[in-house]
């Protein structure tokens, strides 16, 4: 497909989509209707053109199969005046041309969702024409590589339409990311390509063909490598209120921000504040902070006195200080941070303020959680979600590697700990290990398949991330380049070609053929989405593919040129292998990323999540994507997936009860799952203040020591004896609408908190179960009971049901379980302890609810079924839930619902004796006593102290370099 054919193809798809909008609103879009519209448009608008009508139909089917969940919001409207209505939006031109631009490339549904989300953000900012001073600070939480740039581009367009005059975008720490962001904003907002001369090079994107040239925004920065806000621009730049909006795309760099701050104070300020500092009162400011958890957060330790006041003379860290000083220089300002990992932002102390900087950037006004479309491939898609049977729903795209280091783990090609002088050697040879050789081979094959699928003009990238040191990266780049050149020579000259083709054909048949079929089934895609060519066809295109790759093995070191190549090669498609470290870790988009080789060893949740460049959108080539990484990192990404899911569930729950960002900050800061960011960002978190209200906890790591197992068994039996006779035994039966649920086991009701506290005090949890500490649970229940909550407990002793293989178990010499539960050892667990995936079955949490309360929780679940598709592997937006989610079970129990009385005093303790027959346990000993606790939601903000072991931080969480 030539560049001209590609443009014709895009035009046909865009126009056909426009014809389908009305049918979409009526819900009658079908594949046959799409084919009819494509034929009509191709016949009448591109007569004589060779339009791939089948591909156009497939693209539109993909777009119309898309669904997107709703954004959820926590807001504090103190001092805010509602202002955004239809009349204000009527004549917006920046937004309209951006919308038109997006609809030429994206689904109408996706653009509508972006429109709705940016409206929600903008209406929580202040009206820019409101004259008295105002200050709004918020945070937008998205997913890694999910389109946050597109979201804030839309917000900028609308803000400019509404009357914001100065728009500053803080775009990462490095030139390449700043330049990439500049290019995206030129396409979506400016409408023209910038140059170092500050003139219009050519109209692009929203301004293509000179459209709306009279509303062209001004820009003080450009896309070149040194296009940041510089001294020359600062000396000659002047603005006035009558002019069009000004855009600044700058790095988070002390020198650049100092220069910008100086220019604002010397050239823009038109008054002074009460302390005599220059103040801008004539221009409303919108400051967008991309990757807001990185560099923007003050990691210093400002002292907060007992009365809550802050040390006014404290000096924040450099970047944080300058961001705050810029905001403090405007009487009317809005700050919006964007991040996929908000952990550090939540830990910002909202009381921190200084005389020079003003308040810190805690998102006191709002936090908005935006959904990703259903075609987004995130952690839940790649790694699956926890279940009693292990992790389920993950796509078979991960390949575990273990040859990057030697048997000791201390030496080899790329050991976890190495310095900047490390020479990567595999078995004493200057070459890459077999796993990286295979990964490069997989990339060559993936590129070849994409060419044969008609995607030869689209970019294809491979990521290699194995070290933070640039000198070592260069050595890796050289080795990979030599490997690719060797492949090329063997294919073109025939030397040892047969051996290489045999090796690659084996990889094709054992990996690609099977994986493509599995991915197609898992994604439920239409026939033809992932059709593979014949191997002989692949062999035919290999010379051209290797020729393209051989000259494009790059070390990404922060220069803008590496990014600009994508733009310059838009008509031909760039096939590139990018070798990098930290420069690749944040924000930078690798276009058409197919294969990733990732062995960097760090266990910080937010750092790992941000390094996940392989998350994102993979239309038409998801089945070709591969992630080569270590088993440890697979396990840790599983932890991240679970943490992100819990964080977003907690957010949604609090949004439904109209909590504020401040109360959410307190809740998250107290949540044990969020011991996930570096201690320096948490600062005061030597001990955490923990609350378990509205959460479910379960033990998934256990001692193997027989004496500990016996101790925990005795603690459970003492509890059951103290609880008295059960109210139900052998079978626990619940009527649920049209169906009946049954459990094998025994149930107690109205058990005193005193007995539950005693159980947790006697039970010994394993240190690896960091979220579940029995001593902390005992303290929490004690404090809550003193306030009248968690005083009356439901306790269930549960077996594995009929037909299980767990074997018989008798407890307290009278409670007989015919089949104890089976929970097998987590295959990826390498510790000495016994570790499982999930303990609870989702339905178990609702065992205490009567039919009316259960149906109420189900109703809330159904209403919420359009949750973020990126959080699960099922398309819940299309399927009606048949059982309530745990979030709403806990909400109905603790807060009540229509016709349902709140029971915040009722906690639920679920006891599961795990059979010794489970894989990973030794038969003949005591069963492992596992437990789950379902805490009702509560309006109280009660917390208890959770001490953090900093030696644990250093050994388990700290980066390895």
């Amino acid at each position: 497909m030539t560049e001209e054919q590609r443009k014709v193809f895009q035009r046909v798809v865009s126009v056909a989509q426009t014809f389908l909008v009305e049918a979409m609103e009526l819900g009658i879009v079908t594949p046959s209707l799409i084919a009819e519209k494509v034929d009509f448009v191709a016949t009448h608008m591109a007569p004589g053109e060779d339009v791939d009508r089948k591909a156009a139909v497939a693209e539109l089917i993909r777009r119309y199969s898309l669904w997107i969940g709703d954004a959820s919001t926590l807001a504090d409207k103190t001092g805010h005046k509602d202002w955004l209505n239809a009349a204000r939006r009527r004549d917006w031109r920046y937004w309209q041309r951006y919308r038109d631009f997006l609809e030429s490339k994206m689904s109408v549904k996706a653009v509508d969702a972006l429109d709705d989300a940016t409206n929600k953000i903008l209406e929580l900012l202040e009206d820019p024409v409101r004259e008295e001073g105002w200050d709004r600070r918020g945070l937008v939480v998205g997913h890694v590589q999910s389109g946050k740039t597109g979201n804030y581009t839309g917000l900028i367009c609308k803000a400019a339409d509404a009357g914001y005059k100065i728009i500053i975008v803080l775009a990462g720490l490095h030139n390449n990311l700043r330049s990439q962001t500049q290019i995206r904003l030129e396409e979506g907002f400016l409408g023209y390509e910038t140059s170092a001369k500050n003139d219009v090079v050519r109209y692009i994107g929203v301004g293509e063909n000179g459209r709306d040239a009279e509303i062209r925004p001004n820009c003080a920065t450009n896309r070149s490598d040194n296009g940041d806000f510089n001294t020359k621009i600062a000396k000659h730049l002047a603005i006035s209120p009558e002019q069009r909006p000004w855009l600044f795309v700058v790095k988070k760099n002390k020198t650049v921000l100092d220069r910008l701050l100086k220019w604002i104070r010397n050239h823009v300020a038109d008054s002074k504040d009460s302390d005599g500092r220059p103040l801008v009162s004539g221009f409303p400011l919108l400051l967008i902070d991309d990757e807001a958890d990185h560099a923007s957060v003050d990691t210093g330790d400002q002292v907060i006195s007992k009365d809550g006041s802050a040390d006014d003379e404290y000096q924040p860290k450099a970047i944080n200080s300058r961001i705050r000083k810029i905001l403090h220089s405007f009487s009317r300002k809005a700050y919006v941070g964007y991040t996929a990992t908000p952990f550090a932002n939540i830990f910002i102390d909202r009381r921190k303020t200084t005389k020079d900087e003003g308040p810190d950037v805690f998102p006191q006004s709002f936090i908005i959680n935006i959904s990703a479309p259903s075609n987004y491939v995130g952690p839940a898609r790649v790694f699956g979600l926890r279940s009693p049977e292990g992790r389920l729903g993950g796509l078979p795209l991960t390949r575990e590697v273990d040859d990057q280091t030697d048997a000791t783990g201390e030496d080899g090609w790329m050991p976890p700990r190495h310095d900047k002088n490390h020479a990567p050697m595999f078995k004493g040879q200057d070459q890459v290990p077999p796993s990286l050789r295979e990964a490069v081979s997989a990339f060559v094959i993936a590129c070849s398949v994409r060419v044969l699928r008609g995607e030869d003009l689209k970019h294809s990238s491979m990521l290699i991330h194995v070290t933070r040191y640039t000198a070592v990266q260069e050595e890796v780049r050289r080795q990979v380049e030599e490997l690719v050149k060797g492949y090329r020579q063997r294919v073109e000259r025939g030397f040892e070609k047969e051996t290489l083709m045999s090796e690659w054909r084996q990889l094709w048949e054992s990996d690609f053929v099977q994986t493509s079929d599995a991915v197609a089934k898992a994604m439920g895609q239409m026939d033809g989405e992932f059709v593979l060519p014949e191997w002989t066809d692949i062999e035919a295109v290999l010379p051209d593919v290797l020729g393209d790759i051989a000259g494009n093995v790059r070390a990404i070191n922060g220069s803008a040129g590496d990014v600009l190549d994508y733009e310059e090669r838009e008509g031909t498609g760039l096939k590139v292998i990018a070798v990098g470290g930290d420069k690749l870790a944040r924000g930078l988009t690798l276009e058409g990323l197919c294969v990733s080789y990732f062995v960097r060893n760090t266990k910080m949740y937010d750092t790992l999540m941000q390094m996940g460049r392989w998350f994102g959108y993979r239309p038409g080539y998801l089945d070709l994507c591969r992630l080569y990484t270590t088993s440890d990192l697979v396990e840790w990404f599983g932890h991240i997936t679970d943490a992100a899911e819990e964080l977003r569930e907690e957010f949604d729950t609090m949004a439904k009860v109209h909590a504020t960002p401040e109360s959410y900050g307190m809740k998250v800061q107290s949540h044990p799952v969020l011991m996930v960011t570096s201690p320096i960002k948490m600062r005061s978190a030597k001990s955490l203040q923990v609350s378990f209200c509205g959460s479910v906890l379960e033990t998934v790591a256990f001692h193997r020591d027989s004496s500990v197992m016996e101790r925990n068994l005795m603690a459970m039996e003492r509890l059951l004896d103290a609880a008295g006779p059960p109210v139900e035994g052998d079978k626990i039966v619940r009527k649920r609408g049209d169906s009946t649920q049954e459990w094998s086991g025994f149930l107690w009701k109205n058990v005193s908190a005193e007995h539950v506290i005693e159980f947790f005090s006697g039970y010994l949890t394993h240190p690896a179960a960091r979220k579940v500490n029995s001593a902390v649970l005992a303290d929490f229940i004690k404090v809550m009971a003193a306030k009248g909550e968690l005083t009356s407990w439901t306790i269930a002793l549960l077996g594995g049901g009929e037909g299980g293989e767990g074997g018989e178990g008798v407890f307290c010499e009278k409670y007989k379980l015919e089949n104890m539960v089976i929970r097998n050892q987590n295959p990826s667990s390498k510790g000495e302890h016994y570790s499982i995936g999930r303990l609870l079955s989702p339905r178990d949490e609702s065992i205490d609810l009567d039919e009316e309360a259960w149906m109420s929780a189900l109703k809330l679940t159904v209403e919420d079924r359009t949750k973020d598709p990126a959080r699960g592997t099922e398309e819940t937006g299309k399927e009606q839930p048949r059982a309530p989610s745990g979030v709403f079970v806990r909400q109905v129990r603790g807060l009540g619902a229509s016709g349902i009385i709140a029971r915040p005093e009722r906690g639920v303790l679920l006891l599961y004796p795990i059979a010794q027959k489970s894989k990973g346990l030794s038969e003949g000993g005591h069963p492992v006593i596992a437990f789950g606790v379902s805490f009702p939601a509560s309006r109280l903000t009660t917390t208890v102290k959770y001490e953090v072991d900093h030696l644990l931080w250093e050994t388990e969480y700290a980066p390895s370099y």
Side-chain angles (χ1 to χ4, degrees), residues 571-863:
T572 57
L574 177 65
K575 296 176 180 65
V576 63
I577 297 178
V579 181
D582 294 342
K583 305 291 191 300
L584 285 172
R586 279 186 172 268
L588 186 65
T589 298
L590 292 171
E591 303 283 352
L593 180 60
C594 300
V595 178
S596 300
Y597 188 90
F598 182 83
V599 298
R600 170 88 182 270
N601 189 17
T602 175
K603 293 180 179 177
M604 291 299 168
Y605 279 19
D606 55 356
T607 304
L608 268 181
M609 182 70 91
Q610 286 291 350
M611 288 177 177
R613 298 294 95 193
W614 47 86
F615 303 134
Y617 304 99
R618 304 289 180 262
Y621 64 100
L622 176 61
D623 61 319
L624 308 177
C625 295
R626 299 292 183 271
L627 168 58
Y628 288 81
T629 189
T630 64
S631 58
D632 282 347
L633 285 173
V634 170
E635 182 179 1
W636 275 93
F637 270 110
H639 294 326
I640 293 170
T641 303
D642 299 336
E645 171 69 6
E646 290 189 34
L647 177 62
R648 288 176 181 272
E649 277 197 355
E650 188 67 63
F651 187 95
D652 289 347
T653 303
M654 298 193 75
K656 286 176 174 61
V657 297
H658 306 294
T660 64
E662 182 168 355
S663 59
Y664 177 63
M666 292 170 62
K667 178 72 173 178
V668 171
Q669 192 164 341
S670 70
H671 199 300
V673 76
L674 287 182
M675 289 187 287
V676 292
T677 193
S678 67
I680 196 169
K681 289 181 183 176
M682 291 171 64
R683 298 306 303 173
S684 61
K686 294 174 184 175
S687 65
L688 299 178
Q689 290 297 317
V690 183
S691 170
F692 300 105
C693 293
S695 60
V696 61
L697 301 180
E698 54 187 319
T699 46
V700 294
F702 308 90
H703 293 273
R704 294 183 184 275
D705 186 274
S706 60
S707 64
V708 176
M709 295 166 72
E710 182 179 15
R711 167 180 169 163
N712 290 343
L713 172 62
M714 292 175 63
M716 183 189 77
E717 291 192 331
R718 284 196 302 271
L719 171 63
L720 299 184
D721 281 335
V727 295
E728 294 179 75
D730 290 332
K731 292 290 183 191
I732 304 167
V733 181
R734 295 286 179 270
K735 174 71 173 170
R736 307 300 202 194
D738 296 331
S739 62
T740 300
Q741 292 179 350
E742 292 186 0
W743 289 262
S744 171
F746 301 84
L747 190 84
W748 291 259
K749 289 185 177 180
N750 302 318
V751 178
S752 167
E754 177 185 349
H755 301 313
V756 177
I757 292 168
E758 184 180 349
F759 165 72
F760 284 123
S761 298
Y763 187 102
L764 189 62
T765 43
H766 194 281
R770 296 183 187 92
K771 285 175 53 186
V772 187
N773 182 304
S774 54
V776 177
L777 289 175
D779 289 344
F780 180 70
I781 296 167
K782 195 180 301 180
V783 173
M784 292 294 288
K787 297 185 178 183
E789 297 195 3
L790 299 181
T791 55
S792 179
W793 284 73
T794 299
I795 298 176
L797 175 67
L798 299 176
E802 296 181 5
E805 301 176 356
E808 181 182 292
V810 180
F811 304 93
C812 300
E813 299 182 351
K814 52 190 172 184
Y815 303 126
K816 180 180 177 181
L817 298 177
E818 295 291 344
N819 277 294
M820 290 186 289
V821 298
I822 294 281
R823 294 291 185 268
N824 294 323
Q825 170 88 4
N826 188 341
S828 63
S829 176
K830 299 293 191 292
E832 295 181 1
H833 59 281
Y834 166 59
S835 175
I836 63 176
R838 273 214 77 176
L839 175 65
L840 274 67
S841 293
R843 68 181 192 134
D844 295 352
E845 273 197 87
S846 65
I847 198 169
D848 67 315
L849 297 188
D850 59 25
E851 184 177 16
E852 187 179 6
W854 188 90
M855 293 297 291
S856 181
L858 176 59
K859 181 172 181 279
L860 291 170
T861 304
V862 170
E863 291 171 354

Side-chain angles (χ1 to χ4, degrees), residues 76-252:
D76 184 347
K77 293 193 175 183
T78 304
H80 175 65
K81 290 184 178 180
D82 289 336
W83 64 282
L84 188 60
N85 54 33
R88 282 296 294 273
R89 298 195 296 265
R90 186 175 300 131
D91 298 320
W92 283 0
R93 297 172 70 181
Y94 293 120
W95 164 250
Q96 188 55 53
R97 66 180 194 168
Y98 183 52
R99 182 183 183 108
D100 293 344
F101 172 70
L102 291 178
E103 287 183 354
S104 70
K105 305 188 300 179
M106 294 168 53
S107 154
V108 175
K109 290 182 183 178
V111 180
D112 285 344
L114 177 65
D115 189 10
D116 290 341
T118 47
N119 279 345
K120 285 183 178 180
I121 300 166
L122 186 64
E123 68 186 6
L124 288 169
L125 303 183
E126 216 57 50
D127 186 347
V129 302
R130 180 181 167 189
E131 292 189 356
E132 67 267 29
W134 42 262
D135 184 357
R136 299 291 288 172
R137 305 192 183 202
L139 184 70
V140 178
V141 182
H143 296 272
V144 174
Q145 297 286 91
S146 69
K148 293 186 295 296
T149 308
N151 185 286
Y152 67 67
T153 301
L155 177 63
I156 287 170
C157 289
K158 290 182 176 182
D161 278 321
Y164 279 87
K165 292 295 184 181
I166 295 182
I167 300 165
I168 299 172
V169 179
L170 305 178
L173 273 67
H174 306 295
N175 284 330
N176 54 6
L177 181 53
R178 193 213 68 82
S179 178
Q180 185 181 75
T181 303
Q182 175 90 30
I183 292 169
R184 293 285 301 276
L185 287 169
E186 288 173 8
E187 283 188 332
F189 175 54
L190 296 178
Y192 59 92
E193 183 179 319
T194 58
S195 75
K197 295 180 180 179
N198 241 12
D199 57 354
V200 176
V201 177
R202 63 188 175 105
Y203 289 104
I204 59 172
V206 296
E208 205 159 13
N209 303 319
R211 175 182 170 177
D212 288 338
E214 74 277 8
I215 65 166
R216 178 169 60 85
N218 299 297
C219 190
T221 53
N222 65 72
R223 61 167 56 193
S224 64
D225 197 19
N226 59 350
D228 213 330
F229 188 71
N230 58 45
T231 305
K232 180 180 178 182
I233 293 173
K235 284 182 179 179
H236 302 288
L237 183 62
I239 62 175
S240 65
E242 292 76 31
Q243 291 180 322
R244 298 183 288 264
W246 275 91
L247 175 68
F248 301 77
V249 184
V250 300
K251 290 192 302 292
K252 296 182 191 180

